[in-house]
Amino acid sequence: MSVTAFLTDSTLCIGCKACEVACKEWNQVPADGFDFRALSYDNTGSLGHSTWRHVKFVENGAVPGFGGNASEVFSWGFSSDVCKHCANAGCLEACPTGAIVRTEFGGVYIQPDVCNGCGYCVVCCPFGVVERRPEDGRAFKCTFCYDRQKEGLEPACATACPTESIKFGEIEHLRDTARERVRDLEEKGFDDVNLYDPTDTSVGGIHAFFIVRGDPKTYNLPPKPEVPTTYLKKGWMSAGIAAAAMVAGAFLAFTGSSDR
Amino acid sequence: MSISPERETRELRLQQIRREAELRATSISKLPSDSHMDARPSNGHGALQDFEPAASASPQTGYYGMPLLKTPAWTWEVPIYFFVGGAAGASAMLASVGKLTGADQRMIRDARWVAAIGAALSPPLLIADLGFPKRFLNMLRVFKVQSPMSVGSWTLVSFSSAAAASAVLSELERRRVLPRIPVLTDVAEIGAALTGLVLATYTGVLVGATAIPVWNAKVSLIPIHFATSGLSTAVSVLELRGHASSALNKIGIGATVVETAIGASLEFGKEPATEPLHHGPTGWTMRVAGLLSGPVPLALRLLSLTSPPRSPRSVKLRKAAAISSIAGSLITRWAWVYAGRASSKDPKVPLQLPGPARPDAEQIPQDK
Ligand code: SF4
């Protein structure tokens, strides 16, 4: 099986949330309330146990030509966020039960019948994606529509996206598409287009990359995500020193005292 | 690929969602397509180019200042588990080293029992925190070195069995219920000491090797901090049980000196990721923990040296130090978890805000 990926092109996104709806319906994800946050038209806020696709609404000031608007009109940047299905996934490495696995399509999948809700993946995801569902106790996140992919179908979000902002396909092919698209947009005069795919960090690239206008930080996409296993060496070294020091200290204290 | 009729209905529903979205969008404006998109300045309002965006989603604020990471799901059981496990692990080590060096028999026996009781309390605490406690045994489905949670679960199970066996076997031997079986007792004893050392330190790795900025920034310190804290508690519990050997006081002094140094390094070492250790309620919790574990018991222990060993005054001062250390140790674990929660809610560190003055092009991989 070839490794698959998402390319989410926010320059095509119209903020219709069809992906959110399709994902919820297909995967039978519970509702996540309707809180108006008074920040923007975004009423879900971030990805979570019940939000596996999340459309971010970024309000831009009146900038001439931005998004083809007239100069005095606000414009919106929309970007549909999703689990990055990291090449080196913090959640997968952290999972003590083996519930989180790498599928034959390269996606990161939580087996709900194995997860025991230890919550360690939650603190090990550098993108803040996976979350424990309080009513259920287990951790949930985007499955990359593993069930659909196994049947040769596209994930629900990509199927429902009316503007083809969410593209799905073979990863290297999609990377080429992404590069081409960025080049294309630059030729059209968009000088602020970025492809977000952090291959130069310990995460080692993601299977869901994004084209955004402006700085990806605006969309809470971290510039240097690190897979937490990179801290293990330092941590165990410290643990070893601590253990040795404890034994040595106790030994010295006992042997060095007549009153022991 | 053929799909079932039920599957087909659901597939059609996705198409319906797509059409609906399409219709609503086109009723407002045309769908974007390349022919509509043009970023070339189309008018002469050059001055507007410098317009400050009114929106609060920006490279300076992140996405409306919303948290980038998820908050740790751990509840109150976890810091208590860190505390109990740490003390039990250190206690098993004390029993073993004490036996090797010919320390007081009663002290060794009590140390074994502290380890065994801690070993019995730890699994329920850990299981209670699971979202799906019935599946605790799934922890033993696999062993993953790269997951401190996996290493820890296996360590806890081994420690619990070894510590219980060590305490029970030596008790039966002492009461002459069983003939002395040195091999079994010794293996249990040494096993408890070794796994105890891992138990007292791995929790620091568990916390440190995560995406939470304040934790991973201090990954080299937390295991030492937790271990020292566990050793302090083990000594303190033994002292409160009435053991007053000067050897125990020496260990106590050593541990509180290290605690004082750690407290000072946390207080004076400032970096963006450790902000929760300096500000607000999380900062104060860590400070109180540091004082109660470091300088306060250290001063009391040193003061106890001015009276003859085992004199009532000396014993009283050491018991006061012990109480302070135990309280400090418990608050220490809580302070770290608390700081981690605060840290997870602040997007500044993962987004590198306010970052060093670097052009964006250097931070974000771009394809030109
Ligand atoms: S983004 Fe988070 S949840 Fe998704 S694969 Fe990476 S670490 Fe796991």
Side-chain angles (χ1 to χ4, degrees):
Chain A
M1 259 313 155
S2 61
V3 172
T4 55
F6 277 134
L7 165 61
T8 308
D9 183 350
S10 78
T11 61
L12 291 176
C13 180
I14 54 171
C16 71
K17 301 193 187 185
C19 52
E20 284 193 33
V21 175
C23 173
K24 265 195 194 288
E25 284 206 15
W26 184 267
N27 296 300
Q28 322 238 307
V29 181
D32 37 18
F34 191 85
D35 316 321
F36 183 62
R37 281 161 206 267
L39 291 170
S40 69
Y41 289 105
D42 176 359
N43 61 312
T44 28
S46 61
L47 294 171
H49 62 81
S50 63
T51 309
W52 299 352
R53 266 278 177 194
H54 167 240
V55 183
K56 286 177 174 163
F57 280 55
V58 168
E59 200 176 306
N60 293 299
V63 179
F66 196 105
N69 278 336
S71 57
E72 59 290 336
V73 180
F74 278 93
S75 71
W76 291 93
F78 309 111
S79 178
S80 180
D81 202 4
V82 70
C83 168
K84 315 300 177 288
H85 296 280
C86 312
N88 297 315
C91 60
L92 191 157
E93 300 298 327
C95 179
T97 62
I100 307 186
V101 294
R102 176 88 49 195
T103 71
E104 63 268 42
F105 309 103
V108 177
Y109 176 68
I110 308 180
Q111 305 172 76
D113 54 335
V114 180
C115 174
N116 70 4
C118 78
Y120 197 46
C121 54
V122 176
V123 287
C124 288
C125 169
F127 295 98
V129 170
V130 60
E131 192 178 25
R132 202 154 85 170
R133 187 176 295 160
E135 317 80 63
D136 180 286
R138 291 172 295 175
F140 290 94
K141 71 166 193 74
C142 162
T143 64
F144 219 151
C145 279
Y146 183 41
D147 54 340
R148 294 176 60 82
Q149 285 207 54
K150 270 198 291 199
E151 297 194 8
L153 297 166
E154 291 200 349
C157 52
T159 308
C161 176
T163 65
E164 242 113 272
S165 163
I166 300 177
K167 293 179 179 63
F168 170 81
E170 196 275 319
I171 188 162
E172 284 317 318
H173 177 74
L174 220 49
R175 274 209 173 99
D176 289 343
T177 310
R179 285 187 200 117
E180 238 164 73
R181 173 71 179 158
V182 171
R183 216 173 303 128
D184 229 48
L185 285 165
E186 274 166 357
E187 263 161 35
K188 287 201 163 74
F190 295 86
D191 49 10
D192 57 351
V193 184
N194 284 308
L195 171 62
Y196 182 80
D197 181 14
T199 40
D200 59 342
T201 75
S202 58
V203 161
I206 50 186
H207 293 195
F209 18 94
F210 302 84
I211 292 176
V212 292
R213 293 192 60 188
D215 192 331
K217 285 188 206 173
T218 311
Y219 295 87
N220 261 11
L221 292 169
K224 282 253 174 278
E226 302 286 356
V227 58
T229 43
T230 50
Y231 309 116
L232 281 176
K233 213 172 129 200
K234 277 189 185 171
W236 284 117
M237 196 107 87
S238 161
I241 292 169
M246 270 176 18
V247 174
F251 206 84
L252 285 179
F254 280 126
T255 49
S257 318
S258 48
D259 170 25
R260 48 185 187 249
Chain B
M1 180 147 269
S2 72
I3 45 175
S4 70
E6 186 250 353
R7 207 57 195 244
E8 209 161 330
T9 323
R10 297 186 66 201
E11 200 57 40
L12 283 173
R13 172 69 189 134
L14 292 180
Q15 296 303 333
Q16 197 187 341
I17 293 169
R18 180 182 176 130
R19 259 198 316 280
E20 218 172 287
E22 221 161 336
L23 279 174
R24 293 202 184 189
T26 43
S27 70
I28 300 166
S29 65
K30 289 207 169 81
L31 285 182
S33 76
D34 286 2
S35 60
H36 292 95
M37 294 175 77
D38 197 335
R40 280 168 288 209
S42 54
N43 50 44
H45 298 285
L48 279 175
Q49 219 108 38
D50 299 319
F51 187 86
E52 269 291 308
S56 47
S58 67
Q60 287 76 43
T61 56
Y63 187 66
Y64 298 96
M66 294 210 27
L68 192 153
L69 299 166
K70 288 278 174 281
T71 303
W74 292 334
T75 45
W76 59 268
E77 294 96 342
V78 170
I80 296 189
Y81 160 66
F82 289 174
F83 167 77
V84 172
S91 211
M93 183 276 293
L94 284 180
S96 235
V97 176
K99 192 174 162 190
L100 268 174
T101 52
D104 174 32
Q105 281 302 321
R106 281 182 27 258
M107 192 279 290
I108 295 172
R109 207 186 333 136
D110 276 358
R112 274 190 203 119
W113 278 111
V114 172
I117 292 167
L121 288 176
S122 294
L125 284 169
L126 198 59
I127 293 170
D129 177 65
L130 292 181
F132 221 98
K134 264 187 270 171
R135 294 195 187 153
F136 169 71
L137 285 179
N138 280 6
M139 290 286 195
L140 309 180
R141 257 180 102 237
V142 288
F143 175 77
K144 285 166 78 173
V145 252
Q146 76 272 37
S147 165
M149 185 64 95
S150 174
V151 173
S153 303
W154 283 99
T155 304
L156 179 59
V157 170
S158 332
F159 175 75
S160 293
S161 343
S166 162
V168 170
L169 281 176
S170 33
E171 200 60 30
L172 291 177
E173 274 172 19
R174 193 175 66 87
R175 294 173 191 236
R176 299 184 200 290
V177 180
L178 276 184
R180 190 165 152 65
I181 326 169
V183 181
L184 216 56
T185 324
D186 289 350
V187 165
E189 176 114 61
I190 292 167
L194 291 178
T195 50
L197 284 168
V198 182
L199 190 70
T201 52
Y202 97 86
T203 49
V205 187
L206 181 82
V207 165
T210 62
I212 308 295
V214 71
W215 290 347
N216 64 45
K218 289 286 156 205
V219 63
S220 296
L221 185 81
I222 306 177
I224 296 177
H225 199 183
F226 280 10
T228 318
S229 190
L231 183 60
S232 263
T233 310
V235 167
S236 299
V237 171
L238 291 172
E239 287 179 328
L240 290 179
R241 284 277 300 150
H243 301 289
S245 73
S246 51
L248 281 184
N249 201 24
K250 279 184 191 158
I251 301 175
I253 289 170
T256 46
V257 165
V258 175
E259 287 268 10
T260 309
I262 291 173
S265 91
L266 288 178
E267 182 63 39
F268 300 115
K270 288 201 175 146
E271 48 183 309
T274 58
E275 209 186 287
L277 304 179
H278 304 291
H279 299 288
T282 50
W284 285 110
T285 311
M286 191 56 93
R287 277 186 201 115
V288 169
L291 285 176
L292 288 178
S293 328
V296 172
L298 176 60
L300 290 169
R301 285 188 186 281
L302 289 178
L303 216 56
S304 79
L305 294 178
T306 58
S307 313
R310 298 183 190 265
S311 67
R313 179 167 176 274
S314 159
V315 168
K316 212 181 267 168
L317 282 167
R318 285 175 61 183
K319 285 199 171 167
I323 291 169
S324 172
S325 272
I326 292 174
S329 171
L330 185 57
I331 302 173
T332 296
R333 315 311 166 97
W334 198 65
W336 273 113
V337 173
Y338 195 26
R341 268 191 218 169
S343 181
S344 71
K345 290 182 184 143
D346 183 1
K348 276 206 297 296
V349 179
L351 286 179
Q352 304 180 344
L353 306 174
R358 288 198 294 169
D360 293 333
E362 274 177 41
Q363 295 180 23
I364 298 120
Q366 286 190 357
D367 292 82
K368 290 270 138 127

